[in-house]
Amino acid sequence: MAQIIDGKAISAQIKEELKDRVSQMKAEGREVTLAVIQVGSDPASTVYVGNKKKACGYVGIRSLSYELPEETTEEKLLGLIEELNGRTDVNGILVQLPLPKHISEDKVIGAICPEKDVDGFHPQSVGKLCIGQPGFVSCTPAGIIQLLKRSGIEIAGKECVVVGRSNIVGKPMALLLLRENGTVTVAHSKTEDLKSICRRADILVAAVGRPKMITREYVKEGAAVIDVGIHRMENNKLCGDVDYEDVAPVCSAITPVPGGVGPMTIAMLMNNCVESVELQAK
Ligand code: GUN
């Protein structure tokens, strides 16, 4: 039977470690502050932002909340970012995506000072990841590396297949697995014979955005399967990109949905906030 990778437990462990680090920092007179900006009131974004602020409270990070109306201009948002960039009492800046259509996400991400880019989305952060320099790393893929390491799954020398090439997950995931000395293939919607490519994987990361697409025909016996997807089904239950019931019997380890990758994203955001203070101290 496959090892079920418990993201809830591992994220709780990371948050405990961070809580200790933050209280140590407080004892030295250093505070950690994250500014969270939401534009508009997309219900999913409101839930995500609420969870991020709650995690901040738990770990001991101060969070500043900016809830801006849907019709906020790009200029106004860029002005706020500039102000937060200049504030020495703000360590991290997070702009919840997606933004309303009239605002350029690229412009907004590019305006965040790279030393405060706790999401790891700034081109400088991505570039540093690519050439192996220290910098902020996108939280979901960073969390997946923690899941693998803390579950005792070896990456070095292994065949890793990432299905999906988004800027937030697929691409940084591939770079991180490479940094850990994995042999990495990035597959996507145009990949020919996706099943046989996926069946090569010792570590298969599914970030395709299609419910239950990855069935056991895509999985080599004994592979570790990481499911980044989260979808609400007609019966109101959640499922991932992986058909869990079908795949679990053939793999060696698998992340459930919910309770696998999801909780790790916020834990790694908290980690990046703590690291931002250390980075800015340098
Ligand atoms: N929207 C969906 N995921 C994310 C994320 O990780 N960060 C931000 N800022 N927005 C998101």
Side-chain angles (χ1 to χ4, degrees), residues 101-251:
K101 296 265 179 295
H102 64 277
I103 300 178
S104 158
E105 288 187 355
D106 283 348
K107 245 191 208 172
V108 168
I109 291 168
I112 296 170
C113 163
E115 282 73 30
K116 299 189 178 186
D117 172 37
V118 286
D119 256 330
F121 294 168
H122 191 285
Q124 183 174 306
S125 305
V126 179
K128 285 191 166 183
L129 172 62
C130 194
I131 59 173
Q133 288 181 7
F136 292 113
V137 176
S138 180
C139 301
T140 300
I144 292 170
I145 295 292
Q146 286 301 313
L147 282 181
L148 292 169
K149 287 190 170 175
R150 291 174 186 243
S151 303
I153 296 165
E154 176 93 19
I155 304 170
K158 300 296 179 195
E159 285 273 359
C160 307
V161 176
V162 180
V163 192
R165 53 175 159 178
S166 69
N167 290 339
I168 294 183
V169 182
K171 283 179 206 160
M173 185 76 258
L175 291 166
L176 283 173
L177 289 165
L178 190 59
R179 189 163 91 178
E180 297 294 331
N181 299 310
T183 302
V184 183
T185 303
V186 184
H188 46 79
S189 56
K190 301 282 193 298
T191 297
E192 286 182 9
D193 199 4
L194 181 62
K195 279 184 190 165
S196 70
I197 303 270
C198 289
R199 268 201 306 267
R200 294 209 304 245
D202 299 307
I203 298 170
L204 179 63
V205 180
V208 265
R210 285 176 55 187
K212 296 193 182 189
M213 189 192 121
I214 304 297
T215 53
R216 67 169 68 187
E217 298 100 80
Y218 291 79
V219 179
K220 178 167 82 175
E221 188 157 354
V225 178
I226 305 295
D227 190 351
V228 182
I230 186 150
H231 314 277
R232 179 127 353 236
M233 293 184 288
E234 277 173 8
N235 64 7
N236 215 32
K237 284 195 173 166
L238 295 170
C239 76
D241 292 347
V242 175
D243 186 340
Y244 185 91
E245 308 301 331
D246 192 50
V247 168
V250 301
C251 61

Side-chain angles (χ1 to χ4, degrees), residues 37 45 48 52 93-98 119 121 138-140 168 265 269:
I37 305 171
S45 289
Y48 289 135
K52 288 170 188 181
I93 302 171
L94 181 147
V95 181
Q96 186 64 27
L97 304 179
D119 256 330
F121 294 168
S138 180
C139 301
T140 300
I168 294 183
T265 301
L269 173 67

